[in-house]
């Protein structure tokens, strides 16, 4: 591997995040979708996550890394996130799909700020797929419009998704300091820039909640 | 819908067969794959099934049919097949993937003999994807070479898969006589041709068992 350990870590966590999102979204589609069209729509989002997995895995191979080895350190944290955030129904599954892919996209964007151009191009390809989760937004908005009290419960659910993601993220950062360092490389000596990073993440999450109407 | 009820039925059963195969293969990949590479390989096969689902669904829409309505009569039989044939481990999952996609391909080929050219082209696209399940053949052959007594158990498993498929197929044929009629339209008055149809299906299954080394 020509690149630093941090880059293999970064691509490894992204690859396993995509692979586990694919598996989980597909399971949710089978378990919770109220109609066959809905099952197909959530499956389509899952399949686009698998396409991202393939892009990131191929990049790891191109860099001379073993994909299984690169992903292994992150299996426990990401599986843990999915175990802690099993949806209890279709709307929770849709909110999780939208919030989960949104957090992943934020992570890609922050990574792209600090990485070499070939990896930034990969990130562009993934981010361009963002509108695929729009069907989730439409369904949740319609459900909340028809049943306004549902909004409060779904907002709590979204906060729990983010809270569990932060908690697993802290475990990963503690176990893989090179990765944490890579993501804050340019900003580690600048407290104001770290504050702006958190402000960006919070702002993006707020936009997603507003889009969902919750 | 401009076409006969039989054609909507045929595309409906193929569409739901692909959608349910996608869901089941993905679940098996998550549950049984011994390595992350294996999980990715079986997921890739699942994703190609989803691509076939999209082709067939789009054909239904083009013909003016509602995909959910076209699929609905076959949900119980296909879900029943999956419930009756839950693999108990990775090798059984691989044999099921290979035998299941093989039976589906035989079904497409027989359908193509009797249908209009635009549907025959769709069938060609699906059949061209056949080599995707070859990884399953390689893994099963290697496992059987390393542990010859495993062959007998897997051969029994494959027979059970076919037996349950025939049993569900008979239920569908009884419930949807238009579909059964479409598939044997050209041959219904010719006992010798029906015998040749069964001979072709048996021969194809025999070839698959030989390829697996079981």
């Amino acid at each position: 591997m020509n690149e630093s350990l941090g880059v293999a870590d970064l691509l490894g966590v992204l690859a396993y995040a995509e692979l586990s999102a694919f598996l989980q979204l597909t399971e949710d589609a089978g378990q919770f979708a109220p109609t066959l069209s809905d099952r197909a729509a959530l499956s389509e989002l899952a399949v686009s996550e698998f396409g991202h997995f393939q892009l990131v895995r191929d990049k790891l191979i191109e860099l001379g890394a073993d994909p299984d080895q690169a992903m292994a350190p992150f299996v426990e944290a990401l599986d843990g996130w999915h175990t802690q955030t099993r949806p209890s129904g279709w709307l929770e599954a849709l909110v999780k799909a939208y919030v989960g892919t949104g957090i992943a996209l934020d992570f890609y964007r922050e990574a792209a700020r600090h990485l070499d151009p070939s990896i930034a191009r990969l990130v562009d390809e993934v981010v361009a797929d963002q509108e695929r989760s729009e069907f989730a937004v439409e369904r949740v908005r319609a459900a909340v419009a028809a049943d306004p009290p549902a909004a409060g419960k779904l907002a709590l659910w979204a906060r729990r998704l983010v809270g569990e993601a932060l908690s697993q993220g802290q475990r990963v950062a503690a176990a893989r300091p090179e990765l944490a360092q890579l993501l804050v490389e340019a900003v580690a000596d600048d407290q104001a820039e770290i504050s702006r990073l958190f402000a960006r993440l919070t702002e993006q999450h707020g936009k997603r909640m507003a889009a969902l109407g919750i």
Side-chain angles (χ1 to χ4, degrees), chain A residues 62-86:
Chain A
E62 190 189 316
L63 294 173
D66 177 82
D68 283 24
Q69 277 178 25
M71 289 190 278
F74 308 107
V75 168
E76 203 183 325
L78 282 155
D79 285 357
W81 186 66
H82 285 295
T83 305
Q84 294 297 324
T85 60
R86 290 217 180 280

Side-chain angles (χ1 to χ4, degrees), chain A residues 36 56 76 139 205:
Chain A
L36 293 176
V56 178
E76 203 183 325
R139 309 286 165 104
H205 183 67

Side-chain angles (χ1 to χ4, degrees), chain A residues 53-123:
Chain A
F53 160 74
Q54 289 175 307
L55 285 173
V56 178
R57 179 196 58 189
D58 293 350
K59 188 74 198 171
L60 275 164
I61 293 169
E62 190 189 316
L63 294 173
D66 177 82
D68 283 24
Q69 277 178 25
M71 289 190 278
F74 308 107
V75 168
E76 203 183 325
L78 282 155
D79 285 357
W81 186 66
H82 285 295
T83 305
Q84 294 297 324
T85 60
R86 290 217 180 280
S88 67
W90 176 237
L91 290 178
E92 286 193 2
L94 289 178
V95 169
K96 181 175 173 181
Y98 183 64
V99 169
T101 53
I103 294 172
L105 285 168
D106 289 344
F107 195 76
Y108 277 103
R109 282 198 202 88
E110 293 301 323
R113 290 173 169 261
H114 306 302
L115 293 177
D116 76 75
S118 77
I119 291 174
R121 271 196 299 278
L122 182 155
V123 172

